[in-house]
Amino acid sequence: MEPSQKNAENANPSPEQLAACDTPYWMHLNNVKVDGQPFDLNGRKYQQEMMRPKTPQGKFKHHEVIRKGSQTGATIGKVGEVTHGAIYGEYPQGIIIYFPSKTAVEQFSAMRFKPFVEDNPETIGAYTRGKTDRIDFRMIGATKVCFFGGSATSRVAGDKKDSMAVRSTPADWILLDERDLFDDDMAKQVNQRLGNSKIWRGSDMG
C-alpha cells in the first residue's frame, strides 16, 4: 500500500510518522484486522481517500459527504479513521457518531465497534484498557468517542424538534451515519456541538 506523504513532517518520514497521519497506511503497517481478517484494500483503492481526514493541502475536511453502498467498506473505513484519530489525539474535544435511532447505536457499538477493538488487542485495545467502555461512550487514549441517537425527544419553539443527545456534548468531529434517515432539524442541530471547535469537521454518510 502506498502511504500518503502530504502531511508528513519532513521529506523522509519514517513509517511511524507516515502512519500517524494516514489511516489506511496505519492499519496496513500494524496489520489491523477487520472482521477477523487483515485489513486489505485490494479492489477498493478508492477507499483510501475516504479514510484520510485531510485534503492534499493538509487541511481537515470540514464537510464531506459519502454515499454508502453495499460492500463498499465505507462504514468500517470510518471506524478505522475514528480510532486512528482518537489514538493520535487529532480531536481533543472528542468525536461523536450520530445514528437515526437508539437501536442503531446499540447495533453499531456492539456489532461493529466492539469487535474491531477486540480483534486488535495491542494496536487498539491497549488504548482502551481500564477506560470507560459503554454502548454510547468510549475512551480511546485521551479522546472521547460518543455514539448517539439523533431522534427527536421533544418539541421546542413550536415545531422545532430538539434532542438532548444532539445538543449537550461538544466535539471536534461529528459523523452522521445513514444521514438520509435523519430528521432535518436534528441534522442541523448537531453542528451546534462544533461551536467551540478549532477543527470543525463534519461527515455525512448515507
Side-chain angles (χ1 to χ4, degrees), residues 20-31:
C21 61
D22 190 302
T23 302
Y25 185 64
W26 168 76
M27 293 177 70
H28 172 74
L29 184 68
N30 289 283
N31 197 34

Side-chain angles (χ1 to χ4, degrees), residues 117-162:
V117 173
E118 292 178 344
D119 280 349
N120 300 280
E122 299 304 322
T123 305
I124 300 169
Y127 293 91
T128 67
R129 292 187 192 120
K131 300 180 183 293
T132 303
D133 176 11
R134 303 195 319 238
I135 288 291
D136 62 342
F137 176 73
R138 268 186 182 273
M139 287 296 296
I140 301 178
T143 304
K144 296 178 295 184
V145 180
C146 301
F147 311 101
F148 291 155
S151 57
T153 57
S154 62
R155 288 177 179 269
V156 296
D159 290 333
K160 185 179 180 181
K161 298 186 179 84
D162 189 32

Side-chain angles (χ1 to χ4, degrees), residues 55-108:
T55 67
Q57 291 73 40
K59 297 181 179 180
F60 278 102
K61 299 173 182 175
H62 290 301
H63 186 215
E64 62 180 347
V65 177
I66 297 174
R67 299 300 179 193
K68 293 167 57 178
S70 177
Q71 303 301 314
T72 63
T75 297
I76 197 62
K78 282 302 175 194
V79 169
E81 190 183 342
V82 165
T83 305
H84 174 267
I87 288 173
Y88 284 98
E90 294 275 17
Y91 308 97
Q93 285 198 133
I95 303 166
I96 303 175
I97 308 177
Y98 283 105
F99 300 85
S101 68
K102 181 180 178 181
T103 299
V105 171
E106 294 170 348
Q107 290 177 341
F108 176 86

